[in-house]
Amino acid sequence: MTRYALTIEYDGRPFMGWQRQAHGPSVQEAIERAVERMTGEAATVHAAGRTDAGVHALAMRAHLELVTKHPEPFRLMEALNALLRPDPVAVIDCRIVPDDWHARFSCTGRSYEYRIVNRRAPLTFEAGLAWRVVQPLDAGAMHAAAQILVGRHDFTTFRSVHCQADSPVKTLDRLDVERDADLVLVHAAARSFLHHQVRSMVGCLVMVGDGRWTAADLAAALAARDRAALGHNAPPDGLYFVGARY
Amino acid sequence: MTRYALTIEYDGRPFMGWQRQAHGPSVQEAIERAVERMTGEAATVHAAGRTDAGVHALAMRAHLELVTKHPEPFRLMEALNALLRPDPVAVIDCRIVPDDWHARFSCTGRSYEYRIVNRRAPLTFEAGLAWRVVQPLDAGAMHAAAQILVGRHDFTTFRSVHCQADSPVKTLDRLDVERDADLVLVHAAARSFLHHQVRSMVGCLVMVGDGRWTAADLAAALAARDRAALGHNAPPDGLYFVGARY
């Protein structure tokens, strides 16, 4: 038995999300199909995070185990990339890991990036790859307000009703907002996140950025611990899984 | 009669190029159709550069003239953007200019960027938006060799057989190569370029970068003034029109 850790980049636009679905294509299914075509083995590919439909990854971490075949990691990566065509999924790193290394359960930190394009004109290159916000955003005010959310809190307000986590209490390590011309980037890091947490936090930060909310409104929404207090849930388009720590 | 200058961003992947074609969609046709739907006028849209099939623009400059209708520039821009959907074309600036201002003939400088992704893994987000080069490239050697091409030269070697320019002599103002992680960027600027000149120069610089050519080979190819001396013509995917000077 050989366990391989993969680092995977994918454009989430054509997928129903990471996780295998009965009703549409998923990234997991695309990779598992490539693994099976190469090795004949029906291996399960476990990821550090199960991204939603339309969410992207620059460096998703995942693992799989092969029982009868033990290709060199480089050869496995090359074969998977050839078999994944034309899906917008690429294996950018592959290595052998100990049998107890688990992409999801061994992960001690996850980070996401959220891309907002703040302009009037419709998106061309970034259609489906960013959230276009037409109202001018005050990124400085967004960054300042974001610091209210950093730390250990009950994030019920920022949690999808479909969230399966045992507890709504999470520790947010980082929530930074920076502007580079038309691009407003939000960086989020935590050991783990609730379902829709990043998108819900970004949606509320945009309400601060365009002046509909003050920082005090954001603090009140957090304190409410009530999904109904959520200002806005940002679309999946702008969300990228950018890294996992082990 | 009112003359409008437009700044246009477009993803070249679905188009046969800027110029109207009998056999497929063009950016010019998409914009002219939107203008006609808005104003009822069959205006011609003139661009600073006529990009080839699959070539992109971050800020193409163009102009058009309206005879009977004279919308406010902001309203014209908004209407064109609405009518251009779902084509990946966006008008990002629109203003009224004097009647003798011509996007092509008044232009005194054009600049292009060429994006190379230097990695083994297939492209996902950048498929059709960059040239993937698998062999490791020495960007420093490419930049040094590029300086051979800067200045006034007979660029016959770097000119398509379909080029319609009167003379193969052009003055190249800038040809810089820089690396940012996997991305190798080439910046080119000149008053004007021959057909395929940027792609031909980039193709040869990549031969220098991967070690097939020395800087002396590049100098010899330039001196040959012979299309047969060309090392390689880079694909359109990585080419972006990034600006015009007036």
Side-chain angles (χ1 to χ4, degrees):
Chain A
M1 214 143 72
T2 308
R3 187 170 283 217
Y4 298 87
L6 307 177
T7 304
I8 303 159
E9 175 185 285
Y10 55 86
D11 175 346
R13 285 177 290 186
F15 298 107
M16 303 298 301
W18 166 268
Q19 202 166 15
R20 215 173 237 284
Q21 302 280 343
H23 58 293
S26 64
V27 182
Q28 184 184 18
E29 182 194 11
I31 300 171
E32 289 176 354
R33 196 176 49 222
V35 170
E36 185 161 8
R37 282 178 60 195
M38 184 203 174
T39 65
E41 295 191 30
T44 298
V45 179
H46 301 270
R50 286 169 294 178
T51 54
D52 280 328
V55 173
H56 320 286
L58 300 184
M60 177 56 77
R61 303 291 292 275
H63 81 266
L64 66 104
E65 221 163 52
L66 294 178
V67 180
T68 58
K69 297 265 175 61
H70 312 283
E72 283 300 308
F74 180 78
R75 208 173 81 71
L76 177 60
M77 176 169 71
E78 293 276 292
L80 293 181
N81 281 334
L83 292 164
L84 280 161
R85 283 179 204 177
D87 284 331
V89 179
V91 179
I92 57 178
D93 190 69
C94 179
R95 54 190 62 189
I96 292 172
V97 285
D99 286 357
D100 62 349
W101 189 93
H102 195 289
R104 182 171 172 204
F105 299 122
S106 307
C107 181
T108 58
R110 292 164 173 87
S111 47
Y112 286 89
E113 201 175 275
Y114 195 98
R115 298 172 72 85
I116 298 165
V117 175
N118 192 202
R119 72 175 201 185
R120 258 204 99 73
L123 302 183
T124 59
F125 298 101
E126 295 195 284
L129 297 175
W131 180 20
R132 178 183 63 136
V133 173
V134 168
Q135 289 74 28
L137 295 175
D138 179 341
M142 291 167 70
H143 178 76
Q147 306 322 305
I148 293 167
L149 301 177
V150 172
R152 185 177 157 87
H153 301 287
D154 179 330
F155 283 99
T156 297
T157 303
F158 302 92
R159 177 188 198 181
S160 154
V161 294
H162 302 293
C163 183
Q164 290 168 15
D166 291 334
S167 160
V169 177
K170 292 286 178 190
T171 300
L172 181 63
D173 298 323
R174 179 187 183 202
L175 192 62
D176 290 332
V177 183
E178 53 168 1
R179 176 184 280 279
D180 175 13
D182 276 355
L183 183 68
V184 176
L185 265 182
V186 183
H187 305 276
R191 182 178 181 91
S192 63
F193 289 91
L194 299 168
H195 190 219
H196 281 189
Q197 186 181 343
V198 179
R199 288 167 54 188
S200 294
M201 293 191 303
V202 168
C204 291
L205 289 179
V206 161
M207 293 187 67
V208 172
D210 68 17
R212 279 177 291 169
W213 271 17
T214 62
D217 292 328
L218 181 68
L222 174 67
R225 290 172 220 163
D226 178 359
R227 184 67 177 168
L230 182 74
H232 188 77
N233 195 33
D237 312 48
L239 188 59
Y240 295 73
F241 186 100
V242 296
R245 199 177 61 214
Y246 292 92
Chain B
M1 213 145 71
T2 308
R3 188 170 284 219
Y4 297 87
L6 307 177
T7 304
I8 303 160
E9 175 186 284
Y10 56 85
D11 176 345
R13 286 178 289 187
F15 297 107
M16 302 299 299
W18 167 269
Q19 202 165 15
R20 216 174 237 285
Q21 302 280 342
H23 58 292
S26 64
V27 181
Q28 185 185 17
E29 182 193 11
I31 300 171
E32 289 176 353
R33 196 176 49 220
V35 170
E36 186 160 9
R37 283 179 60 193
M38 185 203 172
T39 65
E41 295 191 32
T44 298
V45 180
H46 300 270
R50 287 169 294 178
T51 55
D52 280 329
V55 173
H56 321 287
L58 300 184
M60 177 57 77
R61 303 291 292 276
H63 80 267
L64 67 105
E65 221 162 53
L66 295 179
V67 180
T68 58
K69 297 265 176 59
H70 312 284
E72 283 301 308
F74 181 77
R75 209 174 80 71
L76 177 60
M77 177 169 71
E78 293 277 291
L80 293 181
N81 282 334
L83 291 165
L84 279 162
R85 282 178 205 177
D87 284 331
V89 178
V91 179
I92 57 178
D93 191 70
C94 179
R95 54 190 63 191
I96 291 172
V97 285
D99 286 357
D100 62 348
W101 189 92
H102 195 290
R104 183 171 171 202
F105 299 123
S106 308
C107 180
T108 58
R110 292 162 173 90
S111 48
Y112 286 89
E113 201 175 277
Y114 195 99
R115 298 172 71 86
I116 299 166
V117 176
N118 192 203
R119 73 177 200 184
R120 259 206 98 72
L123 302 183
T124 58
F125 297 101
E126 295 195 285
L129 297 175
W131 180 20
R132 178 183 62 137
V133 173
V134 168
Q135 289 74 28
L137 294 176
D138 179 342
M142 292 167 68
H143 178 75
Q147 305 323 304
I148 293 168
L149 301 177
V150 173
R152 184 176 157 86
H153 301 287
D154 179 330
F155 283 100
T156 297
T157 303
F158 303 92
R159 176 188 199 183
S160 154
V161 294
H162 302 294
C163 183
Q164 292 168 14
D166 291 333
S167 160
V169 177
K170 292 285 178 190
T171 300
L172 181 63
D173 297 324
R174 179 187 183 202
L175 192 61
D176 290 333
V177 182
E178 54 169 0
R179 177 184 279 280
D180 175 13
D182 277 354
L183 183 68
V184 176
L185 265 182
V186 182
H187 305 276
R191 183 177 180 92
S192 63
F193 289 92
L194 299 168
H195 190 218
H196 281 189
Q197 186 181 344
V198 178
R199 289 166 55 187
S200 294
M201 294 190 302
V202 169
C204 292
L205 289 178
V206 161
M207 293 188 67
V208 173
D210 68 17
R212 279 176 291 169
W213 270 17
T214 62
D217 292 328
L218 181 69
L222 174 66
R225 290 171 219 163
D226 179 358
R227 184 67 176 167
L230 182 74
H232 188 77
N233 195 34
D237 312 50
L239 188 59
Y240 294 73
F241 186 100
V242 296
R245 200 178 59 214
Y246 293 91

